[in-house]
Amino acid sequence: MSLALKLADKQKIAIVTKKSLLDGASARAQGGIAAVLSRDDSLDEHIHDTLIAGAGLCDPDTTRFVIEHGAASIEWLISQGVPFTRDADSDSGYHLTREGGHSHRRIIHVADATGQAVQDTLAAKVRTHSNITLLEQHIAIDLITGRKLRRNDNHCYGAYALNSQNGEVVTIAAHHTVLATGGAGKVYLYTTNPDTATGDGIAMGWRAGCRVSNMEFIQFHPTCLYHPHAKSFLISEAVRGEGGTLKLPDGTRFMPWHDERADLAPRDVVARAIDFEMKKRGLDCVYLDISHQPVDFLQEHFPTIYARCMALGIDISRQPIPVVPAVHFTCGGVLTDLHGRTDIEGLYAIGETACTGLHGANRLASNSLLECLVFAEAASRDILTSQTKPIPELPQWDVSRVTDADETVVISHNWDELRRFMWDYVGIVRTTKRLQRAQHRIKLLHEEINEYYSNFHVSADLLELRNLVLTADLIVQSALSRHESRGLHFSKDYPQTLPDAIPTVLVPPGYVAA
């Protein structure tokens, strides 16, 4: 939405979204956006914190580029009307909180519903702009490239998309195409991500000929609410930033045993610590305790979390919150440069679907929305100044050789099987044998799904499963190729960290260097 608004005064834009406009992951970003906004803070310290969290794998140029443009991105959001929480005593005029891995308070937020506030503000402008066409309930199938058209070029000319309401496939031509499809959390059984996070952009980019990078680094958020009626509800990192502590069922704190930063250690450290304690003691969950804070403080700083827990019978001012780790963020993705450009001309990737180099082996809290905003600006500048290429006549989607599926149980069964073995075999702690087991099962699923895709009409469920299986394959390939433990990738077979931090880059068949 940020990219669309930055382009819409000079370009005609189509936003294609497979559900409704607000069904992505951004609305779930409770904590806020990291940026240097206080005189006590500095760009170098934010850069340093990001590099430390990224376990040596962050690209230094990208990291500096994003953080240097952080304040301008926040100013742009303020100009759009985002109602960030104010603080008259702060030199910035806004309340800044702190999260794990940060050396300063630098998280600007809207109470504990920052992503929702940003989304609502931008969506209101998107829906009323005359140059933006919104195609909701349309799921992209594949990109249309010169290679696919048997042309001698490496250009993207648009995409095919399924109108999931009537089953028709539409052909969308574009001088510039941007993948902004989010991550791949739904490849795992337990995730904080929405149901839409099925790795679509990563899979489409790979099939089109883009390299992908660092797919082994899947971030598990340490604190997802553990309750049978609380699907994927996140307990913000800011709860620990405001003094919340992790405890065993008997009330004993355990994070000081695992890291000198204790409860404010980066997410990979905290998630592994919780996983260790749960497995060691046979626990279903651990507990996050912020009951030392008064009720009015909790209601002011965490109104969404307070209300949701209270609705489930958990009074966080009196009792700790049961929590477990859950898949939260895909640090890898389609490889891009500082303009958001991919390996294919005219094709960009921004947000969680991209691998810009900012997050390295582990994303620092609240750097995700920051990355979205900075690269929306960078890509918009590049698009507005780039030469456009004539679009050839694009063929319509061919349905002449397919029929209606006789049964869809294959899709639901394969979806369930994939998510379960990815959770069991490619989780927080990995072994080579588990990864090989996952790879074997993925190969079998690939064959089944490709046969299904070739013979039957496409459906939204089939397209998502096809993308999930491919994304899972890329995750496992990347994990098997990394013979060390670094950041979010911890291998029992290779527990040491090598002296040189080298990105994992996977190259698709028929790759053409830009």
Side-chain angles (χ1 to χ4, degrees), residues 431-460:
T431 67
T432 300
K433 183 170 282 188
R434 287 182 202 159
L435 293 172
Q436 289 170 339
R437 284 177 179 152
Q439 192 172 50
H440 175 68
R441 283 160 174 75
I442 288 168
K443 183 176 182 291
L444 297 176
L445 289 183
H446 250 315
E447 292 169 358
E448 280 191 20
I449 292 160
N450 286 340
E451 181 186 6
Y452 201 94
Y453 180 81
S454 300
N455 291 305
F456 300 119
H457 288 290
V458 294
S459 67

Side-chain angles (χ1 to χ4, degrees), residues 204-455:
M204 283 190 292
W206 175 265
R207 287 194 296 265
C210 294
R211 292 171 297 164
V212 302
S213 182
N214 290 348
M215 288 298 294
E216 68 270 42
F217 299 115
I218 302 295
Q219 187 176 75
F220 286 71
H221 196 288
T223 53
C224 186
L225 179 60
Y226 179 75
H227 192 280
H229 301 132
K231 180 184 176 184
S232 307
F233 186 77
L234 180 70
I235 304 299
S236 170
E237 190 132 359
V239 172
R240 285 182 286 125
E242 295 295 343
T245 55
L246 287 159
K247 296 180 178 179
L248 298 172
D250 65 0
T252 304
R253 289 185 65 192
F254 60 86
M255 277 310 302
W257 304 337
H258 293 271
D259 193 279
E260 62 183 11
R261 293 162 291 187
D263 299 276
L264 287 176
R267 288 176 177 175
D268 61 325
V269 175
V270 180
R272 272 200 305 278
I274 294 173
D275 183 69
F276 175 85
E277 296 295 340
M278 286 173 59
K279 287 177 177 173
K280 178 182 177 181
R281 303 169 193 280
L283 304 175
D284 291 327
C285 65
V286 295
Y287 294 87
L288 178 57
D289 190 1
I290 195 166
S291 60
H292 65 282
Q293 294 284 14
V295 173
D296 56 352
F297 176 93
L298 296 172
Q299 290 177 328
E300 178 186 356
H301 286 78
F302 307 112
T304 308
I305 294 171
Y306 183 88
R308 182 71 173 123
C309 288
M310 188 64 82
L312 294 169
I314 304 167
D315 182 350
I316 67 173
S317 70
R318 296 175 177 272
Q319 62 195 110
I321 308 165
V323 294
V324 292
V327 168
H328 186 57
F329 193 85
T330 309
C331 288
V334 178
L335 201 57
T336 68
D337 65 10
L338 291 182
H339 304 283
R341 296 180 297 210
T342 71
D343 290 321
I344 297 175
E345 296 169 14
L347 180 66
Y348 299 75
I350 57 176
E352 194 175 349
T353 204
C355 183
T356 65
L358 172 65
H359 305 307
N362 177 37
R363 176 177 68 88
L364 181 65
S366 290
N367 270 356
S368 52
L369 294 187
L370 175 66
E371 180 187 40
C372 290
L373 294 163
V374 170
F375 277 94
E377 172 65 21
S380 70
R381 287 198 307 268
D382 194 74
I383 288 169
L384 290 172
T385 57
S386 66
Q387 295 287 322
T388 58
K389 192 169 186 172
I391 299 176
E393 184 177 346
L394 304 182
Q396 297 302 300
W397 185 255
D398 183 8
V399 294
S400 62
R401 290 168 290 183
V402 296
T403 60
D404 289 330
D406 51 357
E407 55 184 30
T408 58
V409 69
V410 157
I411 297 175
S412 59
H413 174 82
N414 287 355
W415 182 298
D416 185 61
E417 181 186 351
L418 173 72
R419 297 179 67 207
R420 286 184 183 280
F421 72 63
M422 286 296 290
W423 182 263
D424 291 338
Y425 297 155
V426 198
I428 294 174
V429 176
R430 300 163 179 175
T431 67
T432 300
K433 183 170 282 188
R434 287 182 202 159
L435 293 172
Q436 289 170 339
R437 284 177 179 152
Q439 192 172 50
H440 175 68
R441 283 160 174 75
I442 288 168
K443 183 176 182 291
L444 297 176
L445 289 183
H446 250 315
E447 292 169 358
E448 280 191 20
I449 292 160
N450 286 340
E451 181 186 6
Y452 201 94
Y453 180 81
S454 300
N455 291 305

Side-chain angles (χ1 to χ4, degrees), residues 84 119 142 254 344 413 453 478 506:
F84 289 112
Q119 285 245 76
D142 262 328
F254 60 86
I344 297 175
H413 174 82
Y453 180 81
S478 298
L506 300 180

